[in-house]
Amino acid sequence: MNGFVKYLAERLFQLFLVIFLGVSLAFVITTLSPVDPVQVSLSQMTSFGAVDPRSVELMREALEELYGLQGTMLEQYFNFWRRVLTGDFGPSLSAFPTPVMTLIAAAVPWTLGLLGLSLAMTWILGNLLGALAGYFRNNTLLKLSGAAVMALHPVPAYITGLILLLLFGYAWPILPISGGAQMNLQQGFTLEYITSLIRHGLLPAMAMVLVGIGSWFISMRSLVSNIVTDDHVVYAELGGVKSRKIFSQYVARNALLPQVTGLALNLGHIFGGTVIIEFLFNYPGMGRLLIQGIYRGDYSLVLGVTTISIVAVAFAAFVLDLVYPLIDPRVRLG
């Protein structure tokens, strides 16, 4: 028990360190951006005619206070952390006066649904196919599946998304290519709305699954190929244990442990792919929100989405780290 408490304390420290460094880096990068959100706002306000210079200066001061841009960079940094801890990123520049957190709250369920479904499919299918291909090495069907999966692995997510968009949106238009659901449907747990959600999310999910499945397949096949030569596996085969039991109990279960760690380490990269896919398919998630904020110079929105994303990815990795000792009890003894 003491070993697990130590393990938990180390992971908590790692969680807070990752959040602190990630959020601080996001603040520095956004602050050093050449886009001035206050100047963008002033340009929009004064584009309709001549405005008194004193009024412009007063508006500048008000906007700097509104977006937390007053004082030195260090003062802005502490003010930013105060906003993070209170969950108040101020109003969005591009959707003024809507609060940033309101926009994020509306986008989070879409990203969680798309990312959760595609990640589960990618991880399960990739590991399953990789384990089967590593154990049954002479199976022709598994060899062909592995070749197809590895051929798609180096292709960028946006290229795969474009191909799917052109194929199923224009050449063979059977699936919607934009949005998260049919616009004129009332949201709710109805068969019609759920069907619309599935149809609109199918192409973005397929793009992520086809690209991501290769890495899990390759690593799992390599792990299984090494484990099948271990003494306990060879002994079980010589002892007449059924192949199905050897595969599930002796091989796949042991090979799966590093894959859980790999999932925690790759969450940030996976989320980065989601950003591109959401923007490509105009999916109403946090990825599209982030890119729109960057294009429009929406300082508060970019910082809000980035901060929430860092916290969410770090916390998800933390949860996976806590689950790992339940799968491998040896971790508790560390």
Side-chain angles (χ1 to χ4, degrees), residues 76-333:
Q76 294 178 28
Y77 176 72
F78 287 120
N79 184 45
F80 167 67
W81 268 108
R82 179 185 61 78
R83 292 191 171 204
V84 170
L85 295 175
T86 58
D88 178 19
F89 294 96
S92 167
L93 170 65
S94 56
F96 190 87
T98 305
V100 167
M101 286 303 296
T102 300
L103 297 175
I104 293 176
V108 163
W110 296 98
T111 296
L112 286 179
L114 176 62
L115 181 61
L117 177 62
S118 59
L119 181 58
M121 292 175 60
T122 302
W123 194 78
I124 292 172
L125 290 176
N127 285 313
L128 180 60
L129 286 175
L132 290 171
Y135 187 73
F136 302 101
R137 285 168 285 186
N138 296 322
N139 188 287
T140 304
L141 182 59
L142 290 173
K143 287 182 179 180
L144 293 175
S145 301
V149 165
M150 288 189 291
L152 289 171
H153 176 58
V155 181
Y158 63 89
I159 296 296
T160 305
L162 282 173
I163 293 173
L164 291 175
L165 191 150
L166 293 173
L167 180 61
F168 295 105
Y170 294 97
W172 189 27
I174 59 173
L175 291 172
I177 61 175
S178 178
Q182 191 174 326
M183 294 184 63
N184 59 349
L185 286 181
Q186 180 69 31
Q187 294 186 7
F189 292 100
T190 63
L191 179 61
E192 188 178 13
Y193 185 71
I194 293 174
T195 302
S196 180
L197 287 177
I198 295 174
R199 283 175 50 80
H200 281 76
L202 195 55
L203 284 182
M206 284 175 58
M208 296 178 62
V209 169
L210 290 175
V211 172
I213 197 173
S215 59
W216 299 115
F217 175 89
I218 295 170
S219 58
M220 190 63 171
R221 187 182 62 176
S222 177
L223 289 168
V224 169
S225 298
N226 292 327
I227 292 175
V228 293
T229 60
D230 288 349
D231 292 340
H232 69 284
V233 177
V234 175
Y235 182 79
E237 291 176 343
L238 294 175
V241 180
K242 293 182 179 180
S243 297
R244 181 179 300 177
K245 185 174 182 180
I246 294 176
F247 171 75
S248 61
Q249 299 296 324
Y250 294 80
V251 178
R253 186 174 180 179
N254 290 329
L256 198 62
L257 298 176
Q259 298 298 79
V260 176
T261 303
L263 180 60
L265 294 175
N266 284 293
L267 280 175
H269 174 72
I270 295 168
F271 180 79
T274 308
V275 171
I276 300 174
I277 293 298
E278 285 186 355
F279 183 74
L280 179 64
F281 288 96
N282 196 32
Y283 199 77
M286 292 181 65
R288 190 189 68 168
L289 203 62
L290 175 62
I291 295 179
Q292 287 178 346
I294 294 173
Y295 282 159
R296 297 170 182 175
D298 196 335
Y299 176 88
S300 298
L301 183 58
V302 171
L303 273 179
V305 173
T306 305
T307 301
I308 297 299
S309 301
I310 291 172
V311 172
V313 171
F315 187 75
F318 171 73
V319 171
L320 286 173
D321 279 340
L322 292 186
V323 171
Y324 192 79
L326 301 178
I327 303 173
D328 187 2
R330 293 172 298 178
V331 174
R332 302 177 187 177
L333 303 177

Side-chain angles (χ1 to χ4, degrees), residues 38-39 41-43 45-47 49-64:
V38 174
Q39 187 59 45
S41 297
L42 290 175
S43 299
M45 293 177 183
T46 58
S47 61
V51 181
D52 179 61
R54 177 57 183 167
S55 300
V56 173
E57 189 60 31
L58 290 174
M59 283 190 291
R60 180 185 297 277
E61 294 176 1
L63 288 171
E64 287 179 349

